[in-house]
Amino acid sequence: MRRHREFHPLALYFAIMGRSNPNRASSCPKVRSKRPRSASVAFVFTQYIASMNFLVTLDSLRTVEIDTRSATIPAMPPTKQSALLSSLSLVFTIATAALLPYAASQAAEHHAPKQAAQKKPAAKAPAAAPAAAPTAVAGGAPVLPAKAWLLMDFDSGQVLASENPDEPLPPASLTKMMTSFLVEQALRSGKLKKNDLVSVSQNAWCRGSSTESCMYLPLNGQATVIDILRGIIVQSGNDASKAIAEHMAGTEENFAKLMNAEAQRLGMTHTRFVNATGLPDPGHQSSARDLAILARAIIRDSSEFYPIYAEREFKYNGIKQGNRNALLYTDPSVDGLKTGHTQEAGYCLVTSSTRNGMRLITVILNTNSAQARADQTRTLLGWGFSNFEKATPVQPNTVVAAAKVSFGKADTVPAVLGSSWAVTVPRGQQVQTSVQIKPDLQAPVAKGAVIGKVVASSNGKPVGEAPLVAQADVERSGFMLRSWQHVTKLFGK
């Protein structure tokens, strides 16, 4: 019988478990265990839980008598022995029940490599990342003489066909789309009012000539903001563009800084504005893709004012002028946007057309005549509507996946499409979808929160993507359950 006045609680644990002191050298020969490492981990972990239970329970004990040979505790009252042994039994039961399935599965995996070595299954290829603005060209895309051109689907921003879409070129009066867009956004935000008066300075005023288009604002006179906006869009007035630029930013140079800031925000990466009119300047350039992006922003974000782009004429100061977009007179599906022409830029045209619920945007840059830009736009629109159609890959509120959630009261949450979604694909082609859920999603998760995305592809090419949102709330689990979830996550999945 040994008497220990001060002892480490683990000594008592090893005594009760019938194991020798771990600091004492063993005389038994070492035998390599055939038990899988994962099962050993589970076994040691259960013993660790038990020892921690003893550390807490026996913290107040200072003096006991231990017989390491008989594993008895003479100095401890029988009621306390019973309570301690019952606690030990309970802890072992819980830990073993929870970890035995994991240990068994890991033991099976311990033998699996020998069988897998005979024939390894082919690894799945990772899903291709969706392109920001993919090009889905159908067969027989038109060949146009314009230096650069582009066809874009409005809903998705997908480029359906193009030629030199990112080449910086002089945009001529297509520049005024940015000027009008800034005016429209200022009206929407309340910075400008429709009936605010705009003064016409000597710098803004113009008499008109064969090389310059004007609204014919009177020198030192005033015009309302809404008339100025119509003069920019319908009449392509340089005087209107300069006058509103000075009204909003003090000088045309300062207004150009606002234009460039907005272009950067929209992602117009090949654009630099020097003035509000598009008059020739070596540093004043844009691209077909950038102008399509701008046209899409006008249609989407300036819906209140977009009908002005379809107006065929505007009369101001007794002078009536027609819209130079010839397609407004010949194609009822066309409702905008802008023409442009200088000797350096050639003849340019940006249009938008809607047929059977599908809206397309076209850009023609640097062709040789007003008739040519109109004809090439008709060709591009006809080809686009004939060769592409809208498809709905997933219906709104359809559950497309069960997203795993860690540390929540629920283990999963349904992932659904939050709003309607359509893509444009070549006619007759099927649409496939793949789901990507955010990894390591943890509670709490709010209903409507974005938890992943669904990617649509056609003929092996991505054609669009849409966010997936949580269909319900997932609350964070309580402390005890969350602690156990941490443990199970550490030792298995």
Side-chain angles (χ1 to χ4, degrees):
M1 176 79 69
R2 295 182 183 177
R3 296 182 181 274
H4 296 267
R5 294 296 176 184
E6 296 292 336
F7 72 101
H8 195 285
L10 283 176
L12 177 59
Y13 165 68
F14 282 111
I16 294 176
M17 293 298 296
R19 301 175 65 90
S20 61
N21 191 314
N23 295 326
R24 183 182 302 169
S26 174
S27 59
C28 299
K30 293 183 178 180
V31 179
R32 181 178 296 273
S33 174
K34 295 183 179 180
R35 180 171 52 198
R37 181 178 299 177
S38 57
S40 299
V41 170
F43 180 76
V44 171
F45 179 71
T46 56
Q47 295 193 29
Y48 171 75
I49 292 176
S51 65
M52 292 301 100
N53 184 60
F54 269 85
L55 287 174
V56 174
T57 307
L58 301 181
D59 184 55
S60 61
L61 300 180
R62 287 291 182 265
T63 305
V64 297
E65 295 181 345
I66 302 176
D67 188 339
T68 57
R69 293 186 301 275
S70 61
T72 60
I73 313 176
M76 184 175 293
T79 55
K80 288 190 176 182
Q81 285 191 40
S82 177
L84 287 173
L85 292 176
S86 298
S87 174
L88 175 63
S89 176
L90 177 61
V91 170
F92 265 77
T93 301
I94 295 174
T96 304
L99 291 175
L100 275 180
Y102 169 75
S105 64
Q106 293 297 310
E109 292 180 7
H110 179 72
H111 298 284
K114 293 182 179 180
Q115 300 173 356
Q118 299 174 3
K119 184 177 180 180
K120 290 186 177 181
K124 292 184 179 180
T135 300
V137 178
V143 177
L144 304 177
K147 191 168 185 179
W149 57 267
L150 179 141
L151 177 66
M152 175 183 283
D153 171 53
F154 167 75
D155 287 332
S156 65
Q158 178 186 356
V159 176
L160 306 180
S162 65
E163 182 72 24
N164 300 324
D166 297 316
E167 182 177 352
L169 294 169
S173 286
L174 300 183
T175 299
K176 296 185 177 89
M177 289 197 302
M178 178 61 83
T179 303
S180 61
F181 182 60
L182 290 180
V183 176
E184 293 154 5
Q185 296 308 298
L187 285 168
R188 290 184 68 229
S189 67
K191 293 180 180 179
L192 291 177
K193 304 296 183 183
K194 292 182 180 181
N195 293 323
D196 286 350
L197 294 177
V198 178
S199 299
V200 183
S201 68
Q202 179 73 39
N203 178 67
W205 178 66
C206 72
R207 294 183 177 87
S209 67
S210 59
T211 59
E212 186 176 12
S213 55
C214 301
M215 181 180 170
Y216 297 106
L217 293 167
L219 176 62
N220 298 323
Q222 291 182 320
T224 62
V225 169
I226 194 63
D227 282 345
I228 290 284
L229 183 60
R230 279 191 163 86
I232 295 171
I233 296 172
V234 180
Q235 299 176 336
S236 196
N238 290 338
D239 49 354
S241 300
K242 292 178 181 179
I244 197 66
E246 292 173 353
H247 182 80
M248 292 180 64
T251 66
E252 190 176 3
E253 181 181 0
N254 288 338
F255 188 76
K257 294 178 181 178
L258 299 179
M259 298 170 73
N260 288 321
E262 185 64 17
Q264 184 177 11
R265 186 188 73 83
L266 293 174
M268 300 169 63
T269 57
H270 296 87
T271 295
R272 180 173 177 266
F273 295 116
V274 175
N275 56 58
T277 61
L279 290 172
D281 186 287
H284 192 95
Q285 294 180 320
S286 190
S287 68
R289 189 192 305 273
D290 287 358
L291 291 167
I293 291 172
L294 176 56
R296 185 172 180 240
I298 291 172
I299 300 169
R300 181 188 64 226
D301 300 335
S302 296
S303 57
E304 178 184 351
F305 304 101
Y306 183 64
I308 298 176
Y309 291 83
E311 294 181 3
R312 299 180 182 180
E313 61 183 31
F314 176 56
K315 184 177 181 179
Y316 182 80
N317 199 20
I319 303 173
K320 183 169 66 175
Q321 298 186 70
N323 197 315
R324 295 175 176 84
N325 184 352
L327 273 73
L328 292 175
Y329 305 91
T330 61
D331 187 343
S333 71
V334 173
D335 55 10
L337 294 161
K338 191 73 186 71
T339 62
H341 170 251
T342 63
Q343 185 175 356
E344 293 80 3
Y347 289 84
C348 309
L349 178 59
V350 175
T351 67
S352 181
S353 173
T354 303
R355 301 177 191 175
N356 298 321
M358 181 167 67
R359 179 181 286 276
L360 300 181
I361 295 170
T362 63
V363 180
I364 300 291
L365 296 182
N366 201 327
T367 194
N368 56 14
S369 70
Q371 186 64 45
R373 70 188 179 191
D375 290 342
Q376 291 169 35
T377 298
R378 291 189 187 96
T379 299
L380 199 52
L381 287 173
W383 178 83
F385 286 116
S386 297
N387 287 275
F388 292 88
E389 61 184 352
K390 303 298 290 186
T392 303
V394 181
Q395 295 293 337
N397 299 317
T398 300
V399 177
V400 298
K404 291 184 177 180
V405 181
S406 299
F407 314 126
K409 291 185 177 180
D411 294 331
T412 62
V413 63
V416 300
L417 200 64
S419 59
S420 59
W421 177 43
V423 295
T424 300
V425 296
R427 286 188 179 276
Q429 288 192 8
Q430 298 296 316
V431 178
Q432 297 80 36
T433 58
S434 60
V435 175
Q436 300 176 15
I437 300 296
K438 289 183 178 180
D440 198 25
L441 188 63
Q442 297 185 6
V445 178
K447 180 180 180 179
V450 176
I451 58 176
K453 63 182 179 180
V454 56
V455 180
S457 60
S458 177
N459 199 24
K461 296 179 180 179
V463 294
E465 61 182 52
L468 293 175
V469 299
Q471 193 181 45
D473 294 324
V474 178
E475 297 181 9
R476 194 169 178 83
S477 58
F479 174 76
M480 295 302 294
L481 178 58
R482 194 163 66 249
S483 300
W484 184 249
Q485 289 170 335
H486 274 288
V487 171
T488 56
K489 187 174 182 180
L490 176 65
F491 283 91
K493 295 182 180 180

